[in-house]
Amino acid sequence: MFSDFIELIGAFVLVLAILQITSDRLYFSIKVYAVQSFFVSISILSIGIYSSSFDLYVSSFLTLVIKTFIIPYALFKTIDEMKIKREIKAFVNITNSLLVISAIIIFTFLLTRYINIGGSVIAKEIFPISLSIIFIGAFIMVSRQKPITQLIGFLTLENGIMLVATSVTYGMPLIVEIGIFFDVIVGATMASLIIHHINHDIDDMDATSLSDFKE
Amino acid sequence: MGYILAIQLIWTALVKFLPLRVVYVAQVFITAILFLGSFSYIPKVINQKVIFQIKDYLFLDSLNILILTSLLFLVFCIAIYSIGYMKKEQEQGLSEEKVKTFYMWKNLFVFCMSVVLVSNNFGIAWIAIEGTTLSTTFLIGFYNTKDAIKASWQYIIICSFGIALGLFGVVTLYFATYHTLGEGMNSLNWINIIKISSHLDPSLLKISFAFFLVGFGTKAGLAPMHSWLPDAHSQSPTPISALMSGVLLSSALYLILRLKAIVDSAGLVHFTSNLLLLVGMLSIFIAAIAIIGQKDYKRLLAFSSMEHMGLMAFAFGIGNRLGVFAGLLHLINHVFAKGLMFSSVGSILVNFHTREISKIKGLYKSMPLTAVFITLGVLGITGIPPFNIFISEFLILTSALDAHMYWQIVVVLLFLVMIFGGFIYLFSSMLMGKSDEVKKEDYKMLLPMAMLLGMMIYLGITMPENMKILLNNAVDILSNKGVL
C-alpha cells in the first residue's frame, strides 16, 4: 500500500520530466523543475514519516528549500537579467524527443527487470523510474542548445538521482545526501555565474557556437 | 594522514590573507612537508599493510600511498614552478589578488584530490571528486578570455554530468551492499564491501560498474566522454594543466579500479576487463588521430594524457597480474612525465604568449635549456629507453602477449607509433629553426623540470625495493588476494 503511494509519487516525477521535454519556454521549464523537486521532497518526507528517520526529514526539508525555492528563484533572476525569454532551441524537435524518451523508458524497465535489491525494499519500481528520469535529463542536456536549458537538464538528472537515493530503501547516509545538496547548490551558482559571463562576453548564447573550437 | 589533509585545508583558507611574497615561499615549504609526510608513511604501510584513521573513514594501503606520494611530489615541483610562472605573468600585468585566487583554488583542488585518494568511503570520495570539478572550474576560466569561459562552461557541464552518473553508480552499489552491511556509512566503506563482495548481486554490480566507468571515466578522460579534456587543459594556467593531467585523471581512474576489485571478486572479471579494454583502445585511437594534426601544443599534450589513460585502462583490462602491475607502474610514471612536459611547454607559453605550434621556431636558440628538457621529455613520454615510460609500456605489451591478445597488441602499437611520429614531427618543428630572440630562463622553472626528469630517468633505470613491494601488494589488493 505504502509502496504504491511512493511509486505514484515517483510516477509524477517522471511525468514532470516528460513535461520538461515538451516545454518550449524557459519560464515554464523552470516552473516544471520546481514542481518536480516539490514531489521529490514529498516522497522523501513520506518515507521519513513511515520509517521515522530524522535524516530523511532533513533531506526532505533541504530539497524543499534549495530545489523548490532557491534554485528556481536564482534561475528566474538570471534569465530576467539576461533578458532571454526566447523559446528554447532544440536539436531534436518535440515529437521526436517524445519518441526517444518513450524508448528510453521501455529500455530502463527492461534493464532493471532482473535486478535483485535484497533487504527491506520500500518501492522497487522507483529504481527504473529514476533511471528513466536520469536518462531523460541526459537527453535534455544533449538535445538542447542553450546553456540554461542544459543546466535544467542537469538539475532534472540530479532529481532522478535524489529520488533513487532516498526512496528505494531507507535512504543513503546523510553525509552523502548533504554532499549532493552542496554540489547542486554550488554547481548551480557557478553555472549561472558562467552563463552570465558567456552572455556578457559572447553575443550569442548558443551551444552550437561552443562546439566550433573542437578539434 | 589526517594531518596531511588538515594542513592543506588550513593553508587553503589562509592564502588569501597573506602577502604574496610569503605565499610563494610558504607554498614550497608546506608542499615539501606534505610530500615528506606522505613519504614517511611508506615503511609503516609496508609493515601494517593498511592504516586507518578517523575511525575508518581514511585509510592508506599500498595502492593509494603510491599515488598519493607521487601526487604530492608533483605538487611540490609545481609549487616551485608556479613562483617562476606567476612572476612572469605578473610582469605581463596579472594582479596580485588574482595570483592569490589562483593559489587558493589550486590548494583546494589538491586537497580534494588527496581526499579522493585516502578516503575509504565511496560517498566521501564522490563528494571530493565533485569538489575537484568545482575548484578547477574557476581555474580553467582564470584568464577570463572568451575561449577560457567557453572551456570552463564545457568543463563544468560535461563533468557534472559525468559525476552525476558516477553518483548513480554509488547509489546502486549501496543497494547491493546495504542489506548485508546495514544502513549508513558502513555500507559504502571499501574495506567492508571487499570482504563480502562475493555475496553481492551481480546484476546490480554490473549496472554500478557501467555507471562508474562512464561517470568517473569522464573525469579520467576516457574515450566517449573525453571532450572537455583538450579545451580545459589548453585554457587553464599551466601549473593546473600539469596537476589535472598528472593526477586528477589518475585519481578518477583509481576509483574505477577500487570498484573493479569488488566487481571482479563477485565473478564478473570478463565483464569489467572487456569494458576497460574497449574504452582503453578507443581512447588511444581517438588520441592518436587527434595528435597527428594538432595545431596547439597544450591540446597536443592533453590528447597525450588521454592516450596514456587509455593505455592504463588497456593494461588493467588485460586481467593478468603483470597487466595490473604494469598499469599501476604506468600510472606513476605518467605523473612525472606529464609534469615535465607541461612545465616545459608552460615556459614557452609565458615567454611567447601563443599556443600555436606553427608560430614557434628555433627554441634551441631562444631558450636552450628549456629546449633540452622538452627534447628529453618528448623522448620520454613517447616511450624511448632509458626513460620510465618505456619500461611500463613494454610491460603492458608483454602482459598482453602473455594473455594472447595479438591483434590488440598490433593495433595499440600502431597507434603508439602514430603518436610517436606526431610528437617528433610537431616538436621538432618548434625546436629547430632560426630565432633572433633570446629569452631569459628562470631557474625556478628549470629546477622542477630537472627534478621530474631525474625521477623519470631514475625510475627508468632502476626500481626502489620499497616501490616494488608496494606495487606487488597493490596488485594483490586489486586482484583481491590478501587485502588485510
Side-chain angles (χ1 to χ4, degrees):
Chain A
M1 190 56 215
F2 180 68
S3 74
D4 290 345
F5 175 68
I6 295 293
E7 279 163 10
L8 181 68
I9 304 257
F12 278 131
V13 180
L14 179 57
V15 168
L16 285 165
I18 297 169
L19 195 61
Q20 188 73 265
I21 286 271
T22 64
S23 111
D24 55 2
R25 303 213 164 256
L26 272 178
Y27 273 112
F28 184 65
S29 291
I30 298 170
K31 279 179 198 157
V32 169
Y33 169 71
V35 177
Q36 191 188 37
S37 314
F38 177 68
F39 273 109
V40 173
S41 93
I42 286 187
S43 164
I44 303 171
L45 181 67
S46 26
I47 291 185
I49 293 169
Y50 179 71
S51 62
S52 59
S53 134
F54 176 73
D55 288 9
L56 290 176
Y57 290 139
V58 175
S59 45
S60 161
F61 177 72
L62 285 176
T63 312
L64 190 69
V65 172
I66 295 174
K67 291 188 168 174
T68 323
F69 296 111
I70 295 180
I71 290 181
Y73 174 74
L75 289 178
F76 277 133
K77 234 184 134 186
T78 314
I79 59 172
D80 278 348
E81 272 177 31
M82 297 191 311
K83 300 188 181 61
I84 37 163
K85 281 164 209 157
R86 280 173 296 167
E87 288 168 36
I88 292 169
K89 274 198 213 162
F91 293 116
V92 188
N93 68 26
I94 291 174
T95 326
N96 289 345
S97 308
L98 282 173
L99 285 174
V100 170
I101 57 171
S102 49
I104 287 176
I105 293 169
I106 293 168
F107 168 72
T108 51
F109 274 85
L110 278 180
L111 185 74
T112 54
R113 218 166 54 168
Y114 298 110
I115 63 156
N116 170 29
I117 304 175
S120 46
V121 178
I122 297 174
K124 189 166 177 274
E125 295 304 323
I126 290 290
F127 194 75
I129 288 175
S130 312
L131 199 54
S132 318
I133 297 168
I134 290 168
F135 282 132
I136 291 173
F139 182 72
I140 295 176
M141 285 176 80
V142 297
S143 67
R144 299 296 164 83
Q145 289 181 10
K146 290 211 167 42
I148 197 147
T149 38
Q150 289 175 343
L151 185 61
I152 290 173
F154 174 66
L155 292 169
T156 307
L157 190 156
E158 200 82 58
N159 263 349
I161 291 175
M162 201 62 211
L163 189 69
V164 77
T166 50
S167 306
V168 176
T169 69
Y170 291 113
M172 296 279 286
L174 185 66
I175 186 163
V176 176
E177 279 171 16
I178 303 256
I180 299 173
F181 284 117
F182 172 75
D183 291 328
V184 167
I185 197 161
V186 179
T189 327
M190 277 191 162
S192 39
L193 262 178
I194 292 173
I195 289 176
H196 213 74
H197 252 303
I198 294 181
N199 196 42
H200 269 269
D201 298 355
I202 302 161
D203 306 313
D204 54 329
M205 277 252 310
D206 264 330
T208 37
S209 71
L210 288 179
S211 57
D212 63 22
F213 71 129
K214 254 190 184 155
E215 295 316 326
Chain B
M1 64 241 88
Y3 75 90
I4 294 183
L5 300 181
I7 291 176
Q8 288 183 4
L9 200 56
I10 295 167
W11 176 234
T12 307
L14 278 181
V15 166
K16 273 273 185 182
F17 304 105
L18 295 172
L20 193 56
R21 275 177 302 118
V22 181
V23 173
Y24 278 145
V25 181
Q27 178 81 21
V28 175
F29 280 104
I30 286 173
T31 48
I33 292 170
L34 293 176
F35 167 65
L36 292 176
S38 125
F39 198 76
S40 67
Y41 272 109
I42 288 181
K44 247 184 168 177
V45 171
I46 291 178
N47 278 334
Q48 304 175 12
K49 292 251 167 142
V50 57
I51 308 174
F52 292 103
Q53 259 179 26
I54 316 184
K55 281 165 75 186
D56 52 357
Y57 286 131
L58 304 181
F59 78 142
L60 272 181
D61 62 6
S62 312
L63 178 59
N64 56 13
I65 185 92
L66 273 170
I67 308 177
L68 183 71
T69 313
S70 32
L71 157 74
L72 291 174
F73 181 73
L74 182 63
V75 170
F76 170 60
C77 293
I78 292 297
I80 304 174
Y81 179 79
S82 301
I83 302 177
Y85 189 87
M86 281 298 155
K87 281 205 169 143
K88 287 255 183 193
E89 290 282 45
Q90 274 182 302
E91 284 167 19
Q92 302 296 323
L94 195 72
S95 72
E96 277 201 13
E97 209 44 45
K98 200 89 166 115
V99 178
K100 280 192 213 168
T101 319
F102 163 82
Y103 270 106
M104 187 186 78
W105 288 116
K106 185 182 117 182
N107 283 317
L108 189 66
F109 171 46
V110 174
F111 167 74
C112 290
M113 281 194 290
S114 318
V115 174
V116 174
L117 291 175
V118 299
S119 153
N120 183 12
N121 189 291
F122 279 112
I124 294 174
W126 178 81
I127 293 171
I129 279 268
E130 177 75 37
T132 62
T133 312
L134 298 177
S135 52
T136 40
T137 303
F138 278 128
L139 287 169
I140 292 169
F142 186 68
Y143 293 114
N144 266 335
T145 59
K146 187 173 158 185
D147 284 350
I149 289 164
K150 274 178 177 179
S152 58
W153 168 258
Q154 223 182 28
Y155 177 70
I156 195 168
I157 210 76
I158 295 174
C159 284
S160 311
F161 172 62
I163 291 296
L165 295 186
L167 177 61
F168 187 77
V170 175
V171 172
T172 319
L173 182 67
Y174 179 74
F175 291 154
T177 59
Y178 85 100
H179 66 278
T180 322
L181 292 171
E183 282 150 29
M185 292 298 269
N186 257 341
S187 326
L188 283 174
N189 272 8
W190 184 80
I191 287 280
N192 296 348
I193 301 174
I194 194 86
K195 283 181 199 152
I196 56 145
S197 50
S198 47
H199 307 296
L200 303 177
D201 179 41
S203 49
L204 272 177
L205 284 182
K206 265 188 189 173
I207 296 180
S208 176
F209 185 75
F211 274 90
F212 253 71
L213 188 62
V214 178
F216 293 116
T218 310
K219 286 294 277 196
L222 290 173
M225 302 278 291
H226 65 278
S227 51
W228 63 272
L229 194 101
D231 296 319
H233 277 66
S234 73
Q235 295 301 328
S236 54
T238 311
I240 301 302
S241 313
L243 286 177
M244 284 207 291
S245 164
V247 269
L248 173 63
L249 308 183
S250 321
S251 47
L253 187 68
Y254 160 84
L255 279 184
I256 299 176
L257 289 181
R258 285 278 183 203
L259 186 73
K260 183 177 186 290
I262 292 168
V263 181
D264 279 358
S265 58
L268 295 166
V269 184
H270 285 292
F271 176 75
T272 58
S273 300
N274 286 340
L275 273 182
L276 277 175
L277 276 180
L278 179 76
V279 168
M281 288 178 72
L282 194 62
S283 307
I284 303 175
F285 168 68
I286 293 175
I289 298 291
I291 281 176
I292 293 274
Q294 201 50 251
K295 294 187 181 70
D296 172 337
Y297 53 78
K298 278 182 93 179
R299 292 172 72 90
L300 173 74
L301 291 181
F303 278 113
S304 155
S305 307
M306 191 182 154
E307 169 224 339
H308 286 285
M309 296 317 286
L311 210 53
M312 285 169 218
F314 178 78
F316 294 120
I318 294 169
N320 53 15
R321 265 189 79 88
L322 185 60
V324 180
F325 185 90
L328 287 174
L329 186 61
H330 196 70
L331 197 155
I332 291 154
N333 289 342
H334 176 242
V335 174
F336 304 123
K338 206 35 80 59
L340 172 64
M341 280 318 287
F342 268 112
S343 38
S344 52
V345 301
S347 305
I348 311 179
L349 182 62
V350 284
N351 279 307
F352 290 93
H353 306 284
T354 174
R355 283 191 300 269
E356 271 179 57
I357 292 172
S358 56
K359 286 194 181 152
I360 291 169
K361 288 258 172 325
L363 282 177
Y364 267 113
K365 296 268 165 26
S366 53
M367 302 174 74
L369 287 172
T370 312
V372 172
F373 282 117
I374 292 179
T375 316
L376 293 176
V378 166
L379 292 179
I381 205 153
T382 46
I384 303 289
F387 298 102
N388 54 359
I389 294 273
F390 167 75
I391 306 286
S392 45
E393 282 185 358
F394 181 74
L395 283 178
I396 290 172
L397 294 173
T398 318
S399 65
L401 203 61
D402 284 350
H404 305 292
M405 298 171 28
Y406 301 114
W407 70 265
Q408 287 95 330
I409 295 178
V410 174
V411 172
V412 169
L413 265 178
L414 187 73
F415 294 148
L416 288 184
V417 170
M418 274 165 72
I419 290 165
F420 176 73
F423 255 89
I424 297 290
Y425 171 70
L426 293 170
F427 272 99
S428 58
S429 79
M430 284 162 68
L431 292 166
M432 309 300 174
K434 276 186 186 160
S435 172
D436 311 327
E437 307 170 82
V438 176
K439 300 279 182 184
K440 197 172 160 284
E441 290 170 287
D442 189 348
Y443 73 93
K444 288 188 219 67
M445 293 166 89
L446 293 172
L447 179 68
M449 290 181 219
M451 281 156 56
L452 289 163
L453 183 70
M455 280 307 285
M456 278 172 76
I457 296 175
Y458 176 59
L459 290 178
I461 294 169
T462 172
M463 183 187 285
E465 195 54 35
N466 279 352
M467 187 173 163
K468 203 189 265 171
I469 298 172
L470 284 177
L471 275 172
N472 272 320
N473 288 346
V475 176
D476 282 343
I477 289 168
L478 286 180
S479 46
N480 202 12
K481 281 176 214 137
V483 175
L484 284 175

